[in-house]
Amino acid sequence: MQTAFLKLVAADIQQRFGNDLSEIAIVFNNKRPITYLKKHLSEVYGQAIWSPQFFTIQEFFRLSTDDTEASPLAQFFHLFNIHNELLMAEGKQPETLEEFYPIAEIILSDFGQLDYDLVPIEQIYLELYDNTKIDIAFQHLTQEQQGFIRQFWQSFSIAGHSGVQERFLQLWKRLPLLYDRFKEKLKAEGQTNYPTIYRDLVEGKATNQHFASSFQHILFVGFNALNKAEAKLFRQWQDQGRALFYFDADAYYLEDNMQEAGLFIRRNIFQTGLVNALGDSPNIIGNRTSTINLYASTGKISQTKLLYDILEQHNNTEQTSAILLADENLLVPLLQSLPDVKPNITTGYPLTQSPIYGILDLWMEVHLEISQFKRRKISYQVIETFINHPLTMVPLEDKLQIQREIADKQLFEIALEELHFESALPQFFVPIGNSAHLIPSLIQLVENLLHSISSQERIRQIDNNLLIETKKTLNQLLLGFETVAPLSISFQIGLIKKAIAPINSAIEGDPLEGIQIMGLLESRCLNFDNVYILGANEGILPKTSNSPTFIPNSLRSAYGLPILENQDALSAYLFYRHFQYSEGIHIFYNGLVDESSTGEESRFIKQLEFESNFKFDRRIQQQTIQFADKAQEIVIEKRGEVWGKMYQDFIVDQKRISATALTTYLQSPLQFFLKHIANIKEPPSISQEFEMNKLGTVIHNVMERIFLPFKGQQDFTPTRILQGQIGKIEAHVIREIGIQYQIELKTVNDLNSLQRIMLKIACEYVKMYLEYDISNYKAFRIIELENDNDYILPFPLQINGEERQVSLYGIIDRVDEVVTHDDRIISRIVDYKTGGDSVIFKEIDQVFAPNTENKAMVQTLFYAYVFEQKTGRKQLEPHLYVARKMREEGTLFRGKEGILTDEFLAFQKENFVRFLRDILQEIFNPAIPFRHNPDTVVYPSDPYTLFYREASKWADAEE
């Protein structure tokens, strides 16, 4: 690696100043390089010396004043109050904080930039006013034509401005006075800000104007882009023989006027006249032929996963390494992907990506909803988010109870007064009666979090720092709000989110050892053996947008203010300088094209590839397809505890086997094991769409309620009687929905939107069933309804060579006798279905088979078999009432070989019993393990998917 820049600086300092550095100030743009220069000075001197004083540029300039620094929030409130005073002096209505806030940030930013670059305030805003009038009046003209008109502006008048346009014109006229009053206010309060400090120094107004004379020499190290105030002061101090400048530059981009990376240092040297203490810059980049490693990842986050593999391969503790984040949003994914290294991170862990922000944001959203809609209910998603958040510390028992209650009752909203559970934040859902209490309530929430964290055995310092900084910011907001009229909760929340968004907490390690993590801007002056640059995409490096401003680019250029091209030049410099020193350069970018990425590497990379002698080794991340080994299939052998439990449950205790359990086995033996042997229950959940099984239960119970009065009657009842039941369907369904959701419902108005949908569908289905009976039959007689207690059937099996028996049972929807219009009497077993079942089947062999193509037919024959064996009744026809299809298909099963009635039905019943016996023998055969059937269709809603997903992967690999 080339000699590091700060090593060169340390060597030059020794040569120039010897051992006594006590009257020397060394100034950097940021803090990070100070530690490194101290290290290099100790290496160069090798003995104890009088140390120089180290400063950042802002710390150094702060020596010129005794005023305290006004916080951004304090400046905002000062500006707001002054602006309203000016409005009232003009005879206008004052603006609310909500109206003024969106432009206040832009005004303060513009004021700061104008101060840094010493722009005459009155002059630029007067020009902005005139230009805006031209643009409004003559928008239809070309820019050239508008330019001519500006020269003769006084000859023209303007009329017809919109209210908004006129408001901004008046604002431009007001801004110079607003600027002056704002500065007077700061002075009166004994406050200042950095733009004011800079301007006061240049204009000779600083309290300690000659502070720099207290140092024999001032060394400015690693500066690049200077504002006009810095340039003027630096040149002044250089002319006094007090200042030296160490520029970190390379002739490759410094001497080539086409290279934007050298733009600012060229200005510093050739225009401002600052002299580089290190002499002429060497041409390091132009002479290098090293290989640059360029990686295209398959996604933004994938860059960090790819970096993990690279770091594992290049784990050399003898070399210095740094990860540079061109995209600082990658910090958290990076921290989650680092191998076992010691990171030092001064970019800071952002509050917005921490669990703390999650709970603060949830609190604000809750109270925003309560205040805006005057609601006393909260959605179940909010409750689930709260109880599952690690910082709320809701006891496990309470959490499970809440989840069960929400799922059982399908509660989409929960009343605030019904929220009773322990947590670290007991006041979280207490409504705020007065908007003035919002921030105090949020401060109390932060204090509760601090107390909760401090009570834990292991205190997370990062969380502690984030909460303390958040509390400081909220207190500043509270002080500001006390000086203005009452604010709405919605606006306060918007301002709070803006105010706390920049908060972060440093994750500090050893800045001289381990891997250093920083943004590109923080890497100024620093050099590493290996650098890993993440997020090097076009649009990110360089950025394609500037900060919001009221000053257009034309005026900015005219007054020498920063424009987008200046930002590009700074980004180019920060990127190029690492090619001067580092040996191992690894650059990562997102190669995936999506709505947030072009999939292109930065143009800086393309420029280097085209113009320099570097060799670029391009690599594209491949997402390899790995086939699972056969061992990955989940196979449950029937031995040991598994067989013991099966035998105890089904043979000894006679646990009943239902038709649903049978078809579950046919679809997936593994799922049969999970549900009926391991007893792994489906997790409680609530669906945004009502569950079909709940709809089915409502319909079944309503049908039972309608037919129950007719059960056991000896005589046939005319089906026309059912016509009178149609008008009662809605009342029956409403009552049944209330039972299912464990709430009392009386009228349609008591139902929520989802329940109303269920009501509509259930009523239509029940009506369809009744109308089918009315139109197809003359009379009916009910034999049995929804009774599962009496229909338990012992079924003999051979298990391990011994005669044993299992219990079969069925919940039979309806057994009846009906009289057709040609006076035939038919005995039927009826099964209601609300899903996508059908009476149509292709081949009978595909019905009586694993992964059966018609589960409904298997289940209905199962019910018929159990009922016939228990009651002695014969020749029951299985009928399936599928609401969606019964008008077109009827209710009798049919396939290529015929309709399931008469002789064909009798034959298939015998066939079914043989099939039933074979399947039960298979279930209780110890030699046949439980495994997933790979041909089964796996639905996304299946809660057991995770258990047998690997089996499906294995089957695909085998094919």
Side-chain angles (χ1 to χ4, degrees), residues 838-841 846-847 852-859 893:
S838 175
V839 295
I840 307 297
F841 61 90
Q846 294 177 20
V847 175
T852 176
E853 72 168 22
N854 198 315
K855 292 196 298 182
M857 180 173 165
V858 171
Q859 290 176 347
F893 292 96

Side-chain angles (χ1 to χ4, degrees), residues 132 136 161-172:
T132 304
I136 293 171
H161 299 161
S162 73
V164 174
Q165 291 168 339
E166 184 63 37
R167 180 184 171 195
F168 275 102
L169 282 171
Q170 294 304 315
L171 177 63
W172 305 154

Side-chain angles (χ1 to χ4, degrees), residues 385-433:
T385 302
F386 179 82
I387 64 176
N388 288 308
H389 197 287
L391 293 176
T392 61
M393 301 178 68
V394 176
L396 180 60
E397 289 183 6
D398 286 357
K399 188 185 303 184
L400 294 176
Q401 174 61 31
I402 294 164
Q403 289 173 330
R404 276 194 299 267
E405 186 171 352
I406 289 174
D408 290 346
K409 297 183 179 180
Q410 290 290 289
L411 298 175
F412 292 92
E413 294 180 318
I414 297 95
L416 293 175
E417 56 269 18
E418 293 179 7
L419 297 175
H420 305 295
F421 47 81
E422 292 183 27
S423 82
L425 309 172
Q427 302 298 308
F428 193 91
F429 294 102
V430 175
I432 296 169

Side-chain angles (χ1 to χ4, degrees), residues 393 424 448-459 464:
M393 301 178 68
N448 287 344
L449 286 170
L450 276 167
H451 177 73
S452 174
I453 290 173
S454 65
S455 67
Q456 298 176 26
E457 293 181 6
R458 182 185 176 190
I459 299 175
N464 202 59

